[in-house]
Amino acid sequence: MSEFVVRPIGTVGSDGKGTWLEVKKEYIPALQALEGFSHIQVLWWFSDLDGEQYRSTLQMDQPYKGAPETMGTFATRSPLRPNPIALTTAKILHIDSDNGLIHITFIDANDNTPILDIKPYTPSLDRVEAPQVPAWCRHWPQSMEKSADFAWEEEFNF
């Protein structure tokens, strides 16, 4: 098997005033024609949890209330995984193409987290009309918009 080389295209920025993606100068041309999309999908690296002890975690004790007692990493959104890659769909607030900044509403990544890629969210490729989930999480919100007001702190065992 060959080795892969992954190069960050930028970093996540956040402060008390907002959240943004800062694209490296050499990748700014890749922002062309992104205007008009309301959302993007951001692939980012769980850089704070990148170590052999995290990458070797393949199962975990019940991370969600009501979930099975043991869950495989691929059945969770846990940062503990063989390759610490994360995916977040984010709403675009503003794009500053001159400076390589995409201001977004939210991302569950820390300040200075490496960004691996950005893709436009397109319903024809990304939306599933009737997704199925296990019974233990069927009460979770059905959209990002409804998730904002959901009491997520009551769902996790960590």
Side-chain angles (χ1 to χ4, degrees):
M1 178 156 80
S2 63
E3 292 292 318
F4 293 92
V5 176
V6 178
R7 294 182 182 91
I9 62 159
T11 56
V12 172
S14 66
D15 60 20
K17 299 176 187 172
T19 305
W20 62 92
L21 308 177
E22 186 170 350
V23 176
K24 290 181 178 181
K25 189 174 186 174
E26 63 265 34
Y27 296 110
I28 289 176
L31 296 175
Q32 185 173 352
L34 189 58
E35 295 86 5
F37 287 98
S38 65
H39 292 75
I40 52 176
Q41 293 181 321
V42 183
L43 288 156
W44 50 278
W45 197 259
F46 276 116
S47 55
D48 293 343
L49 294 169
D50 186 5
E52 198 52 45
Q53 72 274 27
Y54 304 120
R55 286 178 174 238
S56 62
T57 301
L58 301 180
Q59 293 181 324
M60 56 200 61
D61 293 334
Q62 192 180 46
Y64 312 108
K65 293 180 180 163
E69 284 186 33
T70 302
M71 293 184 70
T73 298
F74 299 150
T76 75
R77 302 283 296 222
S78 171
L80 309 179
R81 39 199 340 106
N83 292 303
I85 298 170
L87 171 68
T88 301
T89 300
K91 183 174 182 175
I92 299 170
L93 297 175
H94 174 72
I95 300 172
D96 177 349
S97 294
D98 293 334
N99 295 302
L101 299 173
I102 305 171
H103 296 270
I104 58 176
T105 54
F106 171 80
I107 189 167
D108 48 341
N110 295 328
D111 190 39
N112 292 315
T113 296
I115 301 166
L116 303 179
D117 201 0
I118 298 168
K119 299 178 185 297
Y121 176 89
T122 55
S124 58
L125 298 173
D126 302 316
R127 183 172 176 254
V128 177
E129 293 209 18
Q132 294 184 11
V133 297
W136 59 266
C137 64
R138 281 196 191 123
H139 66 284
W140 290 4
Q142 295 293 307
S143 69
M144 283 179 33
E145 292 80 7
K146 292 179 182 172
S147 290
D149 297 325
F150 188 70
W152 286 106
E153 66 278 1
E154 295 177 16
E155 300 298 316
F156 300 108
N157 286 328
F158 51 89

